[in-house]
Amino acid sequence: MIGWLAARMLPLVPRSVVRRVASRYVAGEDLTTAIEVVRTLNARGYEATLDVLGEHAKDTAVADRTVEEYLNVLARIREQSLRSNISLKLTHLGLHLDRDATTQRLIRIAEQARDQGNFVRIDMEDSSVTDVTLAIYRELRARDLPVGAVLQAYLRRTVEDAENLARLGANVRLCKGIYREPRTIAFHDREEVRASFLRAAEALLTSGDAYVAFATHDRPLVERCLALVSRLGVPSRRFEFQALLGVPVEDLLDRLVAQGFRVRVYVPFGVDWYPYASRRLRENPQVASYVLKQMFAPRGVTGHPG
Ligand code: FDA
């Protein structure tokens, strides 16, 4: 209840408070700091995916600048021999402004990724852009560019999308989904979302050569994914696990690495951290209640986010 309340009040919380409690989820404001985070993760046996924070570019100048930022990220990954790919959002590349220009921007980034043997993950945003995001993904695949899609298990359509992407031999990150979607199109029940996640995973893994990134911190679900790949006899080169920076599941990730599985951490950085940080806070009831305490407690009261 307190988490629910705090999540709804988040827009009223001063940015300085949000920044403090959300800092664990963001690698920093600049690329150099984020690179250091990736280097540390690599040294611990993890892969990474670097994300330049930002979404809903308001004009073409922002969208064009985002391309340059990603090209720079790719160049630094290559120069420093990091084990990292990149993740991006199409609205950050101007999807709400001009679809064709967005596709061209993505092609530029994906061509550089291809030339240096890297890979671009297209994050999935809210349901208003699901179709267009998957369509652009397919356009790039048709050009043999190294891109991957994301499917959100909470959407009722996802198992069918998984079956379609399986036929393409797609590389798919599977997550639960973070945006607020109505019951008409999305499952709200936790068990239904888990069941959809596993059905979509099975559709992808029984296809032949699709690749699945299981992106969840839900421990029972991770165990069920492990049981699934074992039951289907899927070799470990066809899947990986993914987690978000700052979510406290290191013990689980370390165990997966020790078992020989590939584990990738999502490393977001940049100055436009607020929307991403707010979503992460909404997902952590302990942090939400911490925010409430920060707002209503007498000055000087501190605590530690969970
Ligand atoms: P769930 O929310 O049930 O969390 C399981 C447990 O993890 C919680 O009980 C808690 O212990 C812990 N936990 C989760 N979030 C936490 C937090 N913020 N702080 C502290 N503890 C936390 N979504 C989307 O719509 N489009 C996308 O492109 C992506 N991309 C993406 C990439 C990667 C690598 C991951 C891991 C996730 C995404 N997501 C996403 C987000 C995803 O849809 C989902 O919202 C979150 O992963 C939380 O869901 P879980 O599966 O972790 O389960």
Side-chain angles (χ1 to χ4, degrees):
M1 181 62 183
I2 196 164
W4 180 88
L5 242 186
R8 260 150 197 77
M9 296 182 69
L10 217 47
L12 306 175
V13 177
R15 278 195 171 227
S16 56
V17 175
V18 175
R19 188 192 181 100
R20 197 151 9 107
V21 293
S23 61
R24 65 188 299 166
Y25 301 115
V26 176
E29 292 204 341
D30 60 86
L31 177 57
T32 303
T33 317
I35 292 283
E36 281 317 304
V37 171
V38 171
R39 199 188 299 290
T40 305
L41 289 167
N42 284 174
R44 290 177 54 198
Y46 300 128
E47 314 295 305
T49 184
L50 275 161
D51 169 67
V52 180
L53 286 167
E55 46 203 83
H56 301 287
K58 297 229 171 2
D59 55 52
T60 53
V62 173
D64 288 338
R65 198 168 58 237
T66 304
V67 175
E68 298 310 320
E69 285 178 323
Y70 271 108
L71 295 177
N72 189 33
V73 172
L74 283 168
R76 293 282 291 277
I77 290 172
R78 186 190 49 214
E79 279 161 28
Q80 308 212 15
S81 304
L82 298 171
R83 300 199 315 279
S84 180
N85 58 37
I86 57 173
S87 291
L88 52 76
K89 291 183 172 48
L90 292 186
T91 67
H92 199 193
L93 297 183
L95 187 60
H96 289 318
L97 305 170
D98 180 339
R99 176 201 160 137
D100 291 343
T102 300
T103 308
Q104 291 310 315
R105 291 187 186 100
L106 179 60
I107 287 172
R108 257 191 89 198
I109 296 170
E111 284 178 344
Q112 177 161 331
R114 176 198 59 201
D115 293 348
Q116 64 183 74
N118 211 304
F119 175 83
V120 182
R121 175 75 60 189
I122 307 170
D123 287 347
M124 186 58 83
E125 300 173 74
D126 68 79
S127 62
S128 68
V129 294
T130 308
D131 280 324
V132 65
T133 303
L134 291 176
I136 292 175
Y137 161 77
R138 281 172 178 273
E139 280 181 50
L140 269 83
R141 275 299 303 273
R143 292 169 180 254
D144 275 335
L145 288 168
V147 289
V150 176
L151 292 179
Q152 298 153 318
Y154 65 6
L155 291 184
R156 295 177 190 272
R157 59 179 282 170
T158 282
V159 174
E160 197 180 328
D161 284 333
E163 286 163 0
N164 291 333
L165 290 183
R167 282 191 273 279
L168 280 184
N171 181 323
V172 178
R173 173 197 294 153
L174 203 50
C175 64
K176 288 186 179 176
I178 177 62
Y179 302 90
R180 291 202 183 98
E181 304 288 0
R183 282 181 196 279
T184 45
I185 61 163
F187 301 112
H188 286 187
D189 176 77
R190 190 179 173 82
E191 272 311 316
E192 281 186 310
V193 176
R194 282 177 170 154
S196 166
F197 192 107
L198 291 164
R199 277 202 307 277
E202 183 156 357
L204 288 160
L205 290 169
T206 47
S207 74
D209 61 352
Y211 183 94
V212 177
F214 299 107
T216 180
H217 320 96
D218 180 345
R219 292 166 190 267
L221 184 56
V222 168
E223 298 309 324
R224 285 156 78 176
C225 292
L226 287 168
L228 179 72
V229 292
S230 163
R231 173 167 67 77
L232 299 175
V234 181
S236 58
R237 63 183 155 74
R238 286 194 52 214
F239 64 90
E240 67 184 44
F241 291 90
Q242 295 191 351
L244 300 172
L245 185 73
V247 177
V249 285
E250 291 86 356
D251 59 319
L252 171 67
L253 304 185
D254 283 344
R255 194 197 93 202
L256 291 168
V257 168
Q259 287 176 303
F261 297 114
R262 189 177 298 127
V263 176
R264 189 177 305 277
V265 178
Y266 189 97
V267 180
F269 74 96
V271 289
D272 198 0
W273 51 268
Y274 186 81
Y276 177 86
S278 306
R279 289 197 291 273
R280 297 286 77 81
L281 288 181
R282 281 208 313 269
E283 283 184 323
N284 184 341
Q286 283 169 287
V287 172
S289 61
Y290 171 70
V291 169
L292 262 190
K293 278 185 210 138
Q294 286 277 321
M295 282 187 71
F296 296 116
R299 283 173 62 131
V301 170
T302 56
H304 196 276

